[in-house]
């Protein structure tokens, strides 16, 4: 058995997401780019690339990773490109997207020869968290003023509009896309491509995929543009678990199982957004599952099991792919989880492990 903790990517659970993406691409004409900011675990890129059109990135390193490990089309976005990055970025990119008119003014000449775009901020979003809301007051993410957009019109041929966040409501998506058509349609019709970003939870159970395909095709036809989507969570939702082991059980009025992992170090977004992990909920034996760091709030959440836990028992924490492996860290020097893949035939292989040498190398 592989030593815990480790992330286990199950291709049989990843495949349905890929098939839905392929179906949406076929029916709508939209292209789908994997959002590397959410998931960059390249040992499964060879499996995913048959169903997707390429990658979209938020930094130079993500861009290079997409170009080298995924291949196909590469979209290069950054909130701020640096002088020492821009030439290398252009060398890897099929399309480069600038966050502001100022960045376009500064680096536009460097990007001649590849497709160039600008981030458009529609000033609304579906985010329920201020921390993640690109339309928050004084947002630095993209241009919204039509006069400034028109100043870029002869230098760009596309825009990226990222305004959805875990949006599983098709009606809301369609209504907000209608607002974009109304507010920016005349400008969009002068372009060749429009990326609608990520955050559309179209691989979720019961999502009306055919309606989404029809809506995207109608938008594409009306604007005369190639539509792109940037699925992150939608690509890998429910595909991966974090496998952990029980190290200790404490009864302080509530039974607490301490495991060989950490929410802060290994599932950081749950701590940031004050959410609980997807833990087993079958049975009558209740435990709080807690991490092993010194942070008092290092708690995954409450779970239920069909029998009492014992030291050494293993627990699977579900839906552990998005924003986990890209954010794992060395807090408390806790061993980073390895990365394992379960193939379609059921065999499991460990593709990456981390040890003391990695800890030392990260810090000096």
């Amino acid at each position: 058995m592989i030593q815990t903790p480790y992330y286990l990517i199950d291709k049989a659970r990843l495949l349905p997401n890929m098939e839905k993406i392929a179906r949406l691409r076929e029916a709508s004409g939209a292209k789908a780019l994997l959002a590397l900011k959410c998931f960059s675990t390249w040992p499964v890129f060879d499996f995913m690339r048959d169903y997707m059109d390429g990658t979209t990135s938020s930094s130079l390193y993500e861009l290079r990773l997409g170009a080298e490990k995924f291949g196909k089309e590469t979209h290069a976005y950054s909130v701020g490109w640096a002088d020492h990055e821009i030439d290398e970025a252009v060398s890897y990119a099929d399309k480069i997207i600038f966050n502001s008119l100022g960045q376009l003014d500064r680096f536009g000449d460097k990007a001649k020869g590849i497709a160039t775009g600008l981030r458009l901020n529609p000033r609304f979003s579906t985010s329920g968290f201020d921390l993640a809301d690109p339309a928050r007051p004084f947002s630095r993410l993209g241009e919204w003023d039509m006069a400034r957009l028109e100043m870029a019109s002869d230098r760009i041929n596309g825009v990226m509009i990222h305004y959805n966040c875990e949006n599983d409501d098709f009606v809301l998506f369609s209504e907000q896309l209608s607002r974009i058509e109304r507010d920016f349609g005349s400008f969009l019709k002068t372009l060749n491509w429009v990326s609608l970003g990520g955050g559309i939870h179209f691989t979720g159970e019961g999502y009306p995929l055919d309606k989404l395909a029809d809506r995207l095709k109608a938008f594409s036809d009306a604007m005369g543009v190639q539509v792109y989507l940037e699925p992150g969570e939608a690509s890998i939702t429910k595909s991966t678990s974090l496998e952990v082991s029980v190290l200790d059980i404490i009864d302080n009025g509530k039974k607490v199982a301490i495991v060989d992992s950490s929410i802060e170090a290994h599932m950081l977004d749950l701590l940031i957004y004050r959410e609980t992990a997807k833990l087993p909920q079958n049975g009558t034996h209740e435990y709080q599952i807690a991490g092993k760091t010194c942070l008092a709030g290092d708690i995954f959440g409450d779970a239920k099991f069909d029998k009492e836990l014992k030291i050494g028992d293993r627990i699977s924490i579900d839906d552990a792919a998005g924003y986990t492996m890209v954010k794992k860290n060395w807090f408390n020097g806790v061993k980073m989880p390895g990365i394992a893949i379960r193939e379609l035939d059921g065999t499991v292989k460990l593709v990456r492990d981390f040890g003391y040498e990695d800890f030392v190398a990260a810090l000096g």
Side-chain angles (χ1 to χ4, degrees):
M1 295 180 69
I2 299 172
Q3 177 62 55
T4 58
Y6 62 94
Y7 302 100
L8 177 60
I9 305 169
D10 190 334
K11 287 185 177 179
R13 299 175 70 190
L14 179 60
L15 182 59
N17 297 329
M18 295 294 100
E19 291 175 334
K20 287 180 181 179
I21 289 172
R23 177 178 152 199
L24 181 62
R25 290 167 62 211
E26 177 67 23
S28 68
K31 294 185 177 183
L33 306 173
L34 175 63
L36 296 178
K37 65 180 180 180
C38 174
F39 183 81
S40 292
T41 309
W42 57 266
V44 290
F45 284 0
D46 60 342
F47 182 74
M48 302 175 77
R49 72 164 61 95
D50 289 340
Y51 301 89
M52 305 186 75
D53 296 285
T55 55
T56 183
S57 52
S58 299
S59 67
L60 176 60
Y61 288 170
E62 283 187 354
L63 170 61
R64 180 175 176 177
L65 181 74
E68 293 183 349
K69 299 296 187 181
F70 199 101
K72 307 184 82 168
E73 190 166 348
T74 53
H75 284 207
Y77 168 75
S78 174
V79 173
W81 293 108
D83 289 271
H84 65 274
E85 295 178 324
I86 191 65
D87 290 332
E88 187 177 359
V90 169
S91 74
Y92 294 123
D94 294 298
K95 291 180 174 64
I96 189 163
I97 301 164
F98 295 107
N99 183 64
S100 68
L101 183 62
Q103 284 259 299
L104 176 63
D105 290 342
R106 186 174 176 184
F107 296 124
D109 287 343
K110 295 271 191 178
K112 285 182 177 178
I114 65 171
T116 302
L118 197 62
R119 180 165 182 169
L120 190 161
N121 190 332
R123 293 194 291 177
F124 57 80
S125 81
T126 66
S127 176
F129 298 97
D130 181 64
L131 179 66
D133 185 0
R136 63 191 290 175
F138 311 109
S139 174
R140 74 197 195 286
L141 301 175
E143 299 281 359
W144 57 266
D145 182 75
M146 187 57 72
R148 290 179 62 82
L149 289 169
E150 289 176 347
M151 290 174 65
S153 61
D154 62 342
R155 292 177 286 164
I156 64 172
N157 53 25
V159 293
M160 184 266 281
I161 314 171
H162 179 57
Y163 62 102
N164 287 283
C165 181
E166 297 185 3
N167 182 10
D168 60 1
D169 185 339
F170 167 74
V171 173
L172 176 60
F173 169 80
S174 182
E175 290 174 347
Q176 291 194 336
L177 190 57
S178 293
R179 289 179 63 182
I180 289 172
E181 291 171 322
R182 183 189 67 233
D183 295 346
F184 301 100
S186 60
F187 179 70
L188 299 183
K189 289 178 180 178
T190 68
L191 304 174
N192 297 332
W193 54 273
V194 172
S195 172
L196 295 175
I200 308 167
H201 196 51
F202 62 86
T203 55
E205 186 175 350
Y207 191 94
L209 201 65
D210 292 333
K211 289 184 178 180
L212 177 62
D214 291 343
R215 185 67 180 91
L216 293 173
K217 189 174 189 310
F219 174 80
S220 176
D221 291 344
M223 298 297 111
V225 295
Q226 172 64 58
V227 171
Y228 287 88
L229 300 177
E230 302 178 4
E233 286 277 8
S235 300
I236 44 77
T237 186
K238 296 185 178 180
S239 69
T240 300
S241 59
L242 175 59
E243 301 294 312
V244 302
S245 295
V246 177
L247 301 177
D248 196 11
I249 296 173
I250 296 170
D251 191 340
N252 54 12
K254 185 174 189 176
K255 289 185 177 179
V256 180
I258 297 173
V259 299
D260 57 354
S261 182
S262 161
I263 185 172
E264 174 156 7
H266 306 154
M267 296 189 77
L268 182 59
D269 260 18
L270 296 181
L271 185 65
I272 291 173
Y273 294 107
R274 299 185 180 277
E275 297 179 337
T276 57
K278 294 179 180 177
L279 294 159
Q281 298 296 333
N282 300 312
T284 58
H285 299 277
E286 300 182 3
Y287 294 84
Q288 182 181 86
I289 308 302
K292 65 176 291 182
T293 74
C294 64
L295 180 71
D298 191 356
I299 298 169
F300 287 94
D302 294 332
K304 296 179 181 178
F305 301 89
D306 57 7
K307 60 182 180 180
E308 290 187 356
L309 289 180
K310 300 185 180 68
I311 293 172
D313 283 350
R314 294 197 171 197
I315 300 171
S316 292
I317 301 172
D318 201 15
D319 211 4
Y323 297 99
T324 54
M325 286 169 267
V326 295
K327 289 191 174 187
K328 65 186 184 299
N329 60 70
W330 285 111
F331 179 61
N332 266 201
V334 174
K335 184 183 185 299
M336 282 187 180
I339 300 172
I341 297 173
R342 178 179 284 129
E343 299 291 344
L344 294 177
D345 64 5
T347 59
V348 177
K349 62 179 180 180
L350 184 68
V351 297
R352 184 69 165 93
D353 197 17
F354 298 90
Y356 174 72
E357 293 76 12
D358 298 297
F359 172 60
V360 173
L363 296 167

